[in-house]
Amino acid sequence: MLKLSGTLTHFLNPLASAKHAYSAEQRSVLSVEHAQTAIQDITRWPGYAVTPLHDLSATAAASKLGKLWYKDESQRFGLKSFKALGGAYAVARQLQLVLQARHGEMPTIDDLLAGKWQKEAADVVVSCATDGNHGRSVSWGAQMFGCQCIIYIHRDVSEGRKEAMEAFGAQVIRIAGNYDESVRTADVEAKKHDRVIVSDTSYEGYMEIPKDVALGYTVMLSEIVEQLDGEVPTHVFVQGGVGGLASAVCGYFWDVWGEARPRFVIVEPEKANCLQQSAKAGKPVAVLGDLETLMAGLACGEVSSLAWTILSNGADDFMTISEEAIPEAMRILAKGYDTEPAIEAGESAVPGYAAAIIANRSPEFANKLGLDSTSRVLVLGTEGATDPELYRELVG
């Protein structure tokens, strides 16, 4: 028997409707058309490989769902996270633009990879704040394309994640505050020292670069569409955070499938549910406090402005999940349920997976979400063991 416990909360977005068309404003943030350049560039990077889309038929049957697909990002480019796609792509794009502004010529991605602009690129410094995975992507991208990198982390980021970024040559600076305070510190310091911020969250005065980060994620989404081979999920459960991934998933699939799009369900930690609170308020609001959660990559208190442009009427449901569900879900995947393969899933990879299973066991939540034995559910396993020590502690 599949044993997975945990409590959920739910808020139905009153502004969401399947009848809404994907608007020109939303398409300006992310669209299938704009994604083509990112897809063409990233699929030429060294080490690119399509990640698996697992059909978890045994789990679906045990959970009384029609289908359950799990997109496994645990080995993406060896960085163990979907974020390998976004941060590194934005580094490449900014490097191209900075070098064009300084030298009158834009290098191609192939030229940067070949080291033809090595001397000029070495004078450029990129920077960001991170919970770990985005910073790892930015530092890896900086190493791959030949520029300098300075990363800011907050007090709760593990030493293992810090060391992973340093291994790619980044200078990592820890601050005493939380994630949102590290974002502000990185921004202030970048303006003071002429660094290029490559952030996955947008805010007033900083809107363009996060679009490139999100476009990097579309590589994963285009793979999913190809792997589904004509099938369309009825539901997509996706993790929250600042909303960058959720909005990319929502926007891309909305643009691809139009009125046939799936129902989009956002899942967040109980103490870091800025998207759910924003949906309740009808506008972006911040969640204050220490944002303490095991789901380190989702410990975010402020919504990305660009993400909200898509999610405000694109996300159908906003949920929270309790902490105890996370290690249980990780262990089920690590063991491989019944005949299913063993899957390495980090603590921020499993909230959507766990919420879908727990919700369909509850008549109340199944009814609220429109889940039943015919539902075709897609979940995104966004990371592997990005903190190996913590993974071993939780999974055994």
Side-chain angles (χ1 to χ4, degrees):
M1 182 178 177
L2 185 65
K3 294 182 179 180
L4 183 56
S5 58
T7 57
L8 306 171
T9 70
H10 173 263
F11 180 74
L12 179 66
N13 185 7
L15 300 179
S17 169
K19 296 179 181 178
H20 282 308
Y22 194 49
S23 70
E25 182 186 14
Q26 290 167 322
R27 194 168 278 110
S28 72
V29 176
L30 185 139
S31 70
V32 173
E33 180 183 358
H34 291 153
Q36 295 313 303
T37 299
I39 293 168
Q40 290 167 9
D41 283 350
I42 293 171
T43 53
R44 296 209 308 273
W45 291 358
Y48 169 75
V50 176
T51 57
L53 181 70
H54 299 292
D55 185 349
L56 302 183
S57 55
T59 300
S63 306
K64 298 183 179 179
L65 292 166
K67 285 208 167 186
L68 180 62
W69 292 288
Y70 183 99
K71 181 62 168 172
D72 179 6
E73 291 293 295
S74 64
Q75 301 303 318
R76 178 71 74 177
F77 281 117
L79 272 70
K80 295 182 173 287
S81 167
F82 80 100
K83 289 203 170 184
L85 299 164
Y89 177 67
V91 167
R93 289 289 300 133
Q94 287 309 300
L95 198 50
Q96 287 177 304
L97 293 171
V98 170
L99 293 178
Q100 181 185 40
R102 291 181 181 178
H103 303 284
E105 179 185 353
M106 179 180 284
T108 66
I109 292 293
D110 290 336
D111 284 344
L112 290 174
L113 288 171
K116 293 181 179 179
W117 291 72
Q118 184 175 3
K119 181 180 178 182
E120 295 86 352
D123 290 332
V124 180
V125 183
V126 296
S127 183
C128 73
T130 186
D131 283 315
N133 289 345
H134 175 69
R136 191 178 307 198
S137 179
V138 170
S139 56
W140 173 64
Q143 184 184 72
M144 179 163 52
F145 296 112
C147 60
Q148 299 178 57
C149 183
I150 297 176
I151 305 288
Y152 291 83
I153 59 174
H154 58 86
R155 62 186 172 229
D156 297 323
V157 176
S158 71
E159 278 298 306
R161 290 192 168 98
K162 176 177 180 285
E163 290 166 3
M165 290 179 275
E166 290 173 333
F168 291 118
Q171 178 186 351
V172 183
I173 299 170
R174 188 186 295 275
I175 70 156
N178 64 19
Y179 170 76
D180 299 305
E181 289 166 322
S182 70
V183 170
R184 286 188 283 272
T185 300
D187 185 62
V188 169
E189 290 296 301
K191 289 172 180 172
K192 186 187 300 182
H193 299 291
D194 193 28
R195 301 168 187 161
V196 181
I197 285 286
V198 179
S199 176
D200 57 351
T201 188
S202 58
Y203 43 88
E204 186 176 351
Y206 184 80
M207 293 290 177
E208 293 307 310
I209 296 173
K211 292 180 183 179
D212 285 331
V213 175
L215 287 173
Y217 301 158
T218 64
V219 171
M220 171 180 65
L221 306 177
S222 67
E223 290 175 0
I224 291 172
V225 172
E226 188 80 16
Q227 290 166 317
L228 288 172
D229 194 24
E231 288 193 86
V232 180
T234 59
H235 297 72
V236 175
F237 282 70
V238 61
Q239 288 75 253
V242 299
L245 169 66
S247 63
V249 173
C250 180
Y252 190 87
F253 289 158
W254 196 354
D255 204 16
V256 168
W257 289 314
E259 289 189 8
R261 68 176 203 146
R263 185 166 181 162
F264 291 101
V265 185
I266 311 295
V267 185
E268 300 174 280
E270 292 175 326
K271 293 183 179 180
N273 61 335
C274 59
L275 294 168
Q276 187 186 66
Q277 292 299 330
S278 296
K280 289 180 178 180
K283 62 181 181 180
V285 296
V287 173
L288 305 176
D290 60 14
L291 309 175
E292 185 179 353
T293 173
L294 182 61
M295 298 161 261
L298 309 180
C300 308
E302 296 183 23
V303 178
S304 166
S305 300
L306 287 172
W308 194 245
T309 300
I310 293 174
L311 296 177
S312 58
N313 71 337
D316 298 277
D317 305 271
F318 294 85
M319 304 192 75
T320 65
I321 189 166
S322 58
E323 299 289 313
E324 72 269 19
I326 303 308
E328 289 183 11
M330 293 168 65
R331 286 192 287 270
I332 291 168
L333 288 165
K335 185 177 180 181
Y337 180 69
D338 196 23
T339 59
E340 293 169 355
I343 298 171
E344 180 187 290
E347 60 275 14
S348 295
V350 299
Y353 163 86
I357 293 171
I358 295 168
N360 203 43
R361 289 181 180 169
S362 161
E364 175 193 357
F365 287 113
N367 181 61
K368 287 179 176 179
L369 294 165
L371 286 170
D372 59 30
S373 61
T374 67
S375 297
R376 302 180 302 277
V377 178
L378 169 67
V379 301
L380 289 97
T382 47
E383 67 172 10
T386 54
D387 185 335
E389 186 176 339
L390 179 59
Y391 182 81
R392 286 190 296 270
E393 181 183 325
L394 295 174
V395 172

